[in-house]
Amino acid sequence: MSLRTTFHITDSNGQIRYECSQVFAWFNPPWTLSHNGVQMAVFKRKIWSLAPTWEVKTNAAHFLLRGKLFSLRRRILIEGGDFDGAELVGNLFDMRFKLSFNEKTISEAKAKVLTMRERHEAILFEDSPQVELLTAILMSCLLIQKSVSENDNQAGSG
């Protein structure tokens, strides 16, 4: 994904399941996640936070995604909402992620290699719209963060 204003999350048949769009703002623009044209979540990065933190608002909940600062693996803790205490843990190279809640894995994602774009395949272990939405929000935030850091690295080396 390059830093642009919209990207899609598709199902296993290639049908668009969610659309993630950046909303115009002069400073710290929010992102929206929509399903069939209905806004499901709005999230934006907290600028003045030491650890990478995203504030998320859905129709049903308000919660934070707080990253760990000093960790070899990417770790994101969910604070608040229905999944308070859930944690997303990535591997060393951000190629695999596991989302756990109450000591149970509720979804996993793994990167697809040798593709033209950044792609991950997510597997849900619970047939729940809330788990699907949380997984989509987390993967969107990860892709946005990765794209921003890659663009920053390219700008700094150019």
Side-chain angles (χ1 to χ4, degrees):
M1 179 186 111
S2 63
L3 188 60
R4 52 188 174 158
T5 57
T6 301
F7 63 91
H8 296 106
I9 298 172
T10 59
D11 63 16
S12 58
N13 297 323
Q15 300 296 312
I16 295 173
R17 188 85 178 133
Y18 293 96
E19 180 176 89
C20 190
S21 304
Q22 188 176 32
V23 179
F24 176 77
W26 291 107
F27 182 70
N28 192 21
W31 290 79
T32 62
L33 193 66
S34 302
H35 173 66
N36 293 332
V38 177
Q39 183 175 296
M40 303 299 288
V42 176
F43 49 94
K44 70 178 178 177
R45 177 114 188 240
K46 290 183 87 172
I47 297 294
W48 308 114
S49 177
L50 188 59
T53 303
W54 290 80
E55 188 174 10
V56 181
K57 295 177 185 174
T58 68
N59 298 337
H62 179 102
F63 55 93
L64 296 176
L65 305 176
R66 189 176 311 273
K68 276 194 105 162
L69 270 181
F70 304 109
S71 178
L72 291 177
R73 298 175 175 194
R74 189 181 303 261
R75 300 176 84 89
I76 299 174
L77 183 66
I78 290 88
E79 297 177 358
D82 294 338
F83 293 97
D84 186 39
E87 185 176 35
L88 180 80
V89 178
N91 71 352
L92 194 58
F93 301 106
D94 280 350
M95 299 296 283
R96 287 185 170 272
F97 297 94
K98 180 168 62 168
L99 177 59
S100 302
F101 181 57
N102 292 335
E103 299 180 18
K104 181 179 168 189
T105 300
I106 57 175
S107 70
E108 288 182 345
K110 63 179 180 177
K112 289 190 164 213
V113 293
L114 302 176
T115 59
M116 294 294 287
R117 294 183 176 163
E118 181 83 26
R119 293 191 181 265
H120 286 77
E121 180 179 79
I123 301 166
L124 306 178
F125 296 112
E126 288 191 17
D127 189 21
S128 159
Q130 293 84 7
V131 170
E132 180 181 297
L133 180 60
L134 179 62
T135 302
I137 291 168
L138 283 163
M139 294 309 297
S140 297
C141 289
L142 289 171
L143 289 172
I144 293 164
Q145 282 181 332
K146 189 171 184 179
S147 178
V148 167
S149 67
E150 286 174 358
N151 286 344
D152 288 347
N153 288 341
Q154 289 174 356
S157 64

